[in-house]
């Protein structure tokens, strides 16, 4: 495997903290995203490298292994285990408690090279230890409008495009697991898993609170006093509301089932809370001022 300097890929120093890594990844992912560079093979390859770099450096355990072993970081556990076995045997040999045997060398080379013969040692046991692959971690940035309905999405993991379904209603910073899509296992061991964390950006006038949505509804002074019908926006269209006479500023009304879809509960939605904001008329004509003056005298 060719060595790739993941720090250089993200444009950060080796002392960068988690916040700096996250910021750099978002910047580079936006720059080289395939949707913004259609048909550009170089940008596509760069996008893959950026994802790989983030998968490794955003995970503290994987980053530690990468810093120590470079391109061989995925085999760090195997290497450490082999080193430990070698140190133990050397210590035992030096103390006179045990000498190396052909089987000792066999176990050592099996742990390092998956049971293949090495350095002329042959005829050893074919017994191999199975190792589970590394878990991968990725971050996916979406807009609030993107997760109102279920959708297909493609992510690049370790140079491979993976297409999966994002259920409607996924929440900000929610993490989902895709089993078996992490690093490959060793010696027939199972693959690791892929963990995807979602960052949801709000590109609407609605505020999301769990499965509920909140929004302001403008109300003119005359309708708030006399009552009447108004039309307001919901997340998926407009609805007409009847306003009661004497409605005060900051009055809240609940529209049941007009909120956000509930995660993995098809057909179920939260509520939409409308907060009335009364708009005071400005730039009154003299006649309007006279009428308001008459009203104050009547009251």
């Amino acid at each position: 495997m060719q060595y790739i300097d993941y720090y250089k890929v993200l444009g950060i120093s080796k002392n960068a903290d988690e916040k700096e890594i996250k910021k750099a990844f978002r910047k580079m992912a936006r720059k080289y995203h395939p949707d913004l560079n259609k048909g550009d093979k170089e940008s596509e390859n760069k996008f893959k490298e950026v994802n790989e770099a983030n998968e490794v450096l955003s995970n503290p355990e994987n980053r530690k292994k990468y810093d120590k072993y470079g391109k061989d970081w995925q085999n760090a556990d195997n290497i450490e285990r082999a080193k430990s076995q070698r140190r133990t045997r050397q210590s035992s040999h030096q103390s006179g408690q045990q000498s190396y045997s052909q089987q000792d060398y066999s176990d050592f080379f099996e742990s390092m090279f998956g049971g293949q013969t090495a350095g002329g040692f042959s005829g050893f046991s074919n017994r191999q230890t199975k190792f589970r692959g590394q878990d991968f971690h990725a971050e996916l940035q979406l807009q609030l409008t993107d997760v109102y309905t279920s959708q297909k999405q493609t992510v690049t993991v370790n140079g491979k495009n993976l297409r999966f379904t994002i259920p409607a209603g996924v929440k900000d910073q929610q993490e989902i697991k895709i089993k078996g899509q992490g690093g490959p296992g060793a010696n027939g061991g199972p693959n690791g898993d892929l963990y995807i964390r979602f960052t949801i950006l709000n590109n609407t006038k609605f505020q999301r609170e769990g499965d509920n949505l909140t929004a302001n509804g403008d109300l003119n002074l005359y309708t708030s006093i006399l009552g009447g019908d108004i039309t307001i926006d919901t997340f998926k269209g407009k609805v007409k509301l009847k306003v009661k006479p004497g409605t005060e500023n900051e009055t809240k009304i609940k529209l049941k089932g007009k909120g956000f879809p509930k995660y993995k509960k098809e057909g179920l939605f939260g509520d939409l809370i409308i907060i009335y904001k009364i708009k005071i008329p400005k730039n009154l004509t003299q006649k309007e001022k006279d009428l308001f003056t008459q009203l104050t005298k009547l009251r």
Side-chain angles (χ1 to χ4, degrees), residues 205-206 213 232-239 255 258 272:
K205 68 177 184 178
F206 300 94
L213 295 173
I232 64 163
D233 293 320
T234 70
F235 208 89
K236 55 182 294 187
K238 297 181 181 293
V239 297
L255 303 183
K258 296 294 184 180
L272 171 60

Side-chain angles (χ1 to χ4, degrees), residues 202-265:
N202 192 347
N203 59 339
T204 74
K205 68 177 184 178
F206 300 94
Q207 297 301 314
R208 184 183 183 187
E209 299 173 4
D211 299 322
N212 296 332
L213 295 173
T214 303
N216 294 331
D218 291 341
L219 199 61
N220 66 54
L221 178 64
Y222 314 108
T223 305
S224 70
I225 295 172
L226 302 174
D229 295 331
I230 64 169
T231 300
I232 64 163
D233 293 320
T234 70
F235 208 89
K236 55 182 294 187
K238 297 181 181 293
V239 297
K240 184 175 286 189
L241 296 179
K242 186 172 289 294
V243 180
K244 295 180 180 179
T247 295
E248 296 182 356
N249 192 45
E250 300 291 333
T251 295
K252 296 181 180 180
I253 61 168
K254 181 191 291 185
L255 303 183
K256 195 169 182 62
K258 296 294 184 180
F260 218 69
K262 297 188 176 184
Y263 183 69
K264 287 192 174 181
K265 295 182 179 179

Side-chain angles (χ1 to χ4, degrees), residues 3-245:
Y3 174 72
I4 301 175
D5 189 337
Y6 290 142
Y7 292 100
K8 187 175 181 180
V9 169
L10 294 181
I12 56 177
S13 71
K14 291 192 175 183
N15 297 322
D17 58 24
E18 184 178 345
K19 187 176 181 181
E20 290 174 307
I21 293 171
K22 189 173 185 179
K23 182 179 179 181
F25 166 67
R26 288 178 176 175
K27 178 182 177 181
M28 300 299 283
R30 282 194 295 268
K31 181 178 180 180
Y32 295 109
H33 198 284
D35 290 345
L36 302 178
N37 301 275
K38 294 186 182 298
D40 188 336
K41 195 66 178 177
E42 185 176 345
S43 292
E44 182 182 339
N45 292 333
K46 197 71 177 176
F47 184 70
K48 292 177 182 178
E49 280 191 1
V50 168
N51 273 283
E52 288 179 27
N54 182 62
E55 288 165 14
V56 176
L57 300 184
S58 63
N59 182 301
E61 185 178 342
N62 288 347
R63 182 181 180 182
K64 185 177 179 182
K65 293 174 182 177
Y66 172 77
D67 288 343
K68 187 172 183 179
Y69 293 106
K71 65 182 179 62
D72 296 318
W73 71 271
Q74 289 179 308
N75 293 316
D77 292 339
N78 296 349
I79 296 171
E80 288 293 338
R81 188 176 293 107
K83 285 182 177 179
S84 177
Q85 291 174 358
R86 183 171 58 180
R87 284 193 298 269
T88 300
R89 288 165 182 154
Q90 286 175 341
S91 176
S92 298
H93 177 68
Q94 290 168 1
S95 64
Q97 296 175 2
Q98 176 181 323
S99 61
Y100 281 121
S101 68
Q102 192 181 59
Q103 185 61 45
D104 292 331
Y105 282 111
S106 175
D107 290 341
F108 171 73
F109 281 107
E110 279 182 4
S111 64
M112 284 292 289
F113 304 108
Q116 299 174 8
T117 60
F121 293 99
S122 59
F124 297 152
S125 167
N126 289 324
R127 176 170 50 85
Q128 297 181 6
T129 303
K130 295 181 180 180
F131 296 105
R132 184 179 179 275
Q134 294 287 331
D135 290 334
F136 287 163
H137 295 262
E139 181 180 318
L140 190 58
Q141 193 175 96
L142 298 170
Q143 299 290 345
L144 190 62
T145 48
D146 294 332
V147 294
Y148 188 76
T149 56
S150 296
Q151 61 163 291
K152 297 285 186 181
Q153 188 69 241
T154 301
V155 295
T156 303
V157 181
N158 212 23
K160 180 177 69 174
N161 289 333
L162 174 65
R163 190 167 176 82
F164 66 103
T165 299
I166 303 174
V170 68
K171 294 178 173 59
D172 184 45
Q173 298 307 305
Q174 182 174 340
E175 190 174 68
I176 65 172
K177 180 176 76 172
I178 303 180
K179 191 173 179 61
Q181 293 298 331
N187 298 335
N191 289 350
D193 300 322
L194 169 63
Y195 291 86
I196 299 179
R197 183 180 297 275
F198 295 95
T199 296
I200 310 299
L201 304 178
N202 192 347
N203 59 339
T204 74
K205 68 177 184 178
F206 300 94
Q207 297 301 314
R208 184 183 183 187
E209 299 173 4
D211 299 322
N212 296 332
L213 295 173
T214 303
N216 294 331
D218 291 341
L219 199 61
N220 66 54
L221 178 64
Y222 314 108
T223 305
S224 70
I225 295 172
L226 302 174
D229 295 331
I230 64 169
T231 300
I232 64 163
D233 293 320
T234 70
F235 208 89
K236 55 182 294 187
K238 297 181 181 293
V239 297
K240 184 175 286 189
L241 296 179
K242 186 172 289 294
V243 180
K244 295 180 180 179

Side-chain angles (χ1 to χ4, degrees), residues 263-295:
Y263 183 69
K264 287 192 174 181
K265 295 182 179 179
E266 190 174 352
L268 295 181
F269 292 78
D271 303 325
L272 171 60
I273 311 299
I274 298 295
I275 305 173
Y276 284 137
K277 300 289 184 179
I278 298 176
K279 299 296 181 182
I280 303 298
K282 298 179 180 179
N283 302 319
L284 298 176
T285 65
Q286 187 58 49
K287 184 175 182 180
E288 288 173 323
K289 292 179 182 178
D290 292 341
L291 288 172
F292 272 109
T293 301
Q294 291 180 41
L295 282 173

